[in-house]
Amino acid sequence: MSARPETVGLSSRRLENIDTFLQRKYVDTGRMPGTLSLVWRRGEIAHLGVTGMADIARGKKMAEDTIFRIYSMTKPVTSVATMMLVEQGLIALDDPVHRFIPSWKDLGVYNGGFMETFRTKRCERPMQVIDLLRHTSGLTYGFQQSTNVDAAYRKVKIGEIEKHGTLEEMVEKLGTLPLEFSPGTAWNYSVSTDILGYIVGKVAGVTFDDFLRTKIFKPLGMHDTDFHVHEGTRERFAACYAVAPKGGMDLQDDPAKSPYLAPPSLVSGGGGLVSTAGDYLRFCRMLINGGSLDGVQLLSPKTVELMTQNHLPGGHDLPALSKSLFSEAAYNGIGFGLGFSVTMDPVKTMITGSVGEYSWGGAASTTFWIDPREDLIAIFMTQLLPSSVYPVRREFRTMVYSSFVSEAGLPAKPRVGF
C-alpha cells in the first residue's frame, strides 16, 4: 500500500526533506530521540520515514513498527467508541451525565474557597454527554495550574499522566469537587474523555478496555494497540524522554521498567493507549472512509460527518470559549467536534491546511490529522514530553502541504470521504 509520491500528487523530493529537516533540527541536536513521519494520500502511503533512536541507552533505532505511548491520541478512539453506542440508541448526545453517574446529579460550579471549603453555585443546566465529547463539561486537568479546582485535582491525583487508582475511584473523587464553569458555557481541556470511557463500559456491560479490543482494535487489525505493551512486542517499545531543565533530554520512562508493561489499574480513555503508526493509520483510514475499513463498518458516514464538524456553542472557535491554558491544538481558526479539533478557517490558523480537516495530538509530542478534502492522512510519532516545547507539529504540517504538486490539466482524482 505504498506508492511513488508523484502518482498521488506529491513531490518525492519535498517529502524526503521532512526527514532531513527532523534529523538536523531535532535529532542531531539532542532535542528529540527520534521521529517517525507518515503521509498517506488517495489510498497509498506516499511517505514513511524514520530518524534517530527509539531507545538511546540500548542503541535501538526508530523503526516503522516502533510502539509509542500516544497519550491524548487515545481520545478520538474513545470518542468513536461512544458514538458507536449512540448509533445503537444506548446513549444520546443530550443525555444528562447523571443518567449514567447518579452521584453527579447535584454537581455545582466553583464559587470561591479552597479544597476543604469550596463554595458552589447551581449549574445553568446539567452536564450532557456532548459536553464530555467536546470538552465543555466544566471538568479540568490538574496540570492546567490556574485555579483552585485544578489544584484540588493535583492533590487527589486526578488525571495525571501516570494514572493512580481506578476509573471508578476517579469518578467518585470528581463527584466531590466543583466544576470550573457551568456545562456548555466554555471550553476547557479536561478528563472528560476518561469519563466517556467509564460510561462506555457501564452502558456496554463490559470493561472499557475489552470494548475497545473487541469492537475496534480486533476488527480494524490494530494488533499493537492496547492499554499495555503485550508480551512478545516489548523489544519494539520506545523509551520516553522529557525536556531537561538545562536543555537536552532526560529519560522519563524506561521501556524495560515501564508501568505500560502490565495492564493498568486505571484504564484511561483520555490518554492510556500505546500504538504504532501503522495501527493508528488504520484507525484514521476508517474515519476518512466514512466509518468503514476493509469491509468492517464501525460508524455510519453521517456519524463521522457529525463528529468532524465544529460543535462549540454559538459556532465559535476555541479562542472565544477557551479557559484552558493548555491543549493539544493551536487555537485561532480552530473549533472542536466530537473528539477532534476541527479547522474552521485556515487563514486564522496561519498554517497551510483545509477547511474541515480534523486532528489531535498526544503529550509526548505525537500528532495526526485527517484532511478529507485532499484525501490525506498524516501521522507524526516521537516520545518527548511535553508537547508544547517545540513547534514540530506546525513544521511537519507545513512541509507535508508544501509537498503537493500542481496537477493542472490532469484527470480529476477520485476523493474518499466527505
Side-chain angles (χ1 to χ4, degrees):
M1 198 181 65
S2 58
R4 185 170 178 268
E6 280 72 16
T7 65
V8 293
L10 303 174
S11 163
S12 300
R13 179 180 60 81
R14 290 192 170 209
L15 287 172
E16 290 169 1
N17 287 341
I18 293 173
D19 296 319
T20 301
F21 173 83
L22 293 170
Q23 180 76 43
R24 290 176 177 173
K25 181 171 181 178
Y26 291 108
V27 178
D28 291 347
T29 58
R31 293 171 174 169
M32 287 185 176
T35 65
L36 185 154
S37 55
L38 186 154
V39 181
W40 177 100
R41 195 179 191 210
R42 297 175 182 165
E44 305 287 349
I45 295 175
H47 175 76
L48 179 55
V50 295
T51 70
M53 311 298 288
D55 184 339
I56 295 171
R58 294 176 178 85
K60 292 182 182 178
K61 292 184 178 180
M62 190 69 75
E64 295 178 2
D65 62 353
T66 294
I67 297 173
F68 301 88
R69 302 153 194 80
I70 63 171
Y71 290 121
S72 286
M73 281 169 60
T74 304
K75 288 180 170 69
V77 179
T78 302
S79 300
V80 165
T82 304
M83 297 305 293
M84 291 170 70
L85 297 181
V86 169
E87 286 195 337
Q88 295 173 36
L90 299 175
I91 298 174
L93 293 180
D94 61 354
D95 275 340
V97 173
H98 66 250
R99 174 190 166 193
F100 310 101
I101 310 175
S103 62
W104 283 26
K105 185 173 183 179
D106 296 319
L107 284 181
V109 177
Y110 177 77
N111 197 33
F114 299 93
M115 184 168 177
E116 291 77 14
T117 60
F118 279 137
R119 299 187 301 276
T120 63
K121 58 185 178 182
R122 290 178 62 86
C123 295
E124 296 177 17
R125 66 157 172 80
M127 184 193 304
Q128 299 175 343
V129 170
I130 193 171
D131 292 313
L132 297 174
L133 283 159
R134 66 187 182 186
H135 293 283
T136 57
S137 63
L139 299 171
T140 190
Y141 268 125
F143 61 68
Q144 299 283 5
Q145 299 194 19
S146 61
T147 70
N148 290 338
V149 176
D150 62 50
Y153 277 48
R154 294 193 296 277
K155 186 171 183 178
V156 297
K157 299 185 183 300
I158 291 174
E160 295 187 357
I161 289 176
E162 304 302 339
K163 305 296 180 181
H164 296 266
T166 66
L167 189 53
E168 290 74 15
E169 290 170 351
M170 175 192 277
V171 169
E172 182 179 349
K173 289 177 182 177
L174 286 169
T176 69
L177 300 176
L179 301 174
E180 291 275 23
F181 50 84
S182 189
T185 62
W187 187 91
N188 191 51
Y189 198 38
S190 72
V191 298
S192 290
T193 318
D194 288 298
I195 306 308
L196 286 175
Y198 173 82
I199 291 173
V200 167
K202 188 171 183 178
V203 171
V206 298
T207 62
F208 173 57
D209 49 329
D210 278 345
F211 184 91
L212 294 191
R213 291 186 195 106
T214 59
K215 302 299 184 181
I216 296 179
F217 302 152
K218 186 175 180 180
L220 290 183
M222 297 172 65
H223 303 300
D224 289 322
T225 304
D226 208 331
F227 290 97
H228 69 285
V229 181
H230 295 167
E231 197 76 47
T233 65
R234 294 178 179 179
E235 286 297 309
R236 295 191 280 120
F237 187 37
C240 192
Y241 301 85
V243 175
K246 296 184 179 180
M249 300 175 293
D250 291 331
L251 182 65
Q252 186 269 339
D253 184 29
D254 187 333
K257 305 174 183 177
S258 173
Y260 286 93
L261 299 181
S265 61
L266 195 159
V267 178
S268 171
L273 288 176
V274 296
S275 189
T276 62
D279 273 13
Y280 212 82
L281 176 62
R282 292 192 65 78
F283 177 72
C284 292
R285 287 177 59 208
M286 176 274 296
L287 289 168
I288 202 171
N289 199 43
S292 300
L293 181 65
D294 296 339
V296 173
Q297 182 172 0
L298 300 188
L299 294 172
S300 158
K302 294 302 292 184
T303 299
V304 177
E305 183 180 20
L306 179 67
M307 294 178 71
T308 55
Q309 297 179 66
N310 179 34
H311 283 261
L312 294 183
H316 293 296
D317 63 3
L318 285 171
L321 287 181
S322 178
K323 292 182 177 294
S324 185
L325 291 182
F326 174 82
S327 83
E328 295 291 349
Y331 283 175
N332 290 331
I334 302 292
F336 206 86
L338 305 182
F340 317 87
S341 63
V342 180
T343 298
M344 300 166 61
D345 187 343
V347 173
K348 289 184 178 179
T349 70
M350 294 189 289
I351 306 172
T352 309
S354 301
V355 173
E357 67 181 40
Y358 49 101
S359 65
W360 206 238
S365 303
T366 61
T367 193
F368 80 99
W369 79 89
I370 298 173
D371 185 338
R373 178 173 294 185
E374 295 295 346
D375 197 8
L376 173 77
I377 297 167
I379 297 171
F380 175 77
M381 297 290 203
T382 187
Q383 296 283 257
L384 181 74
L385 295 163
S387 62
S388 55
V389 176
Y390 302 120
V392 65
R393 292 172 174 171
R394 182 188 70 203
E395 293 162 341
F396 177 54
R397 178 182 289 265
T398 299
M399 296 183 81
V400 169
Y401 280 115
S402 296
S403 73
F404 280 42
V405 296
S406 173
E407 298 178 276
L410 296 179
K413 301 295 193 298
R415 301 294 190 188
V416 177
F418 303 108

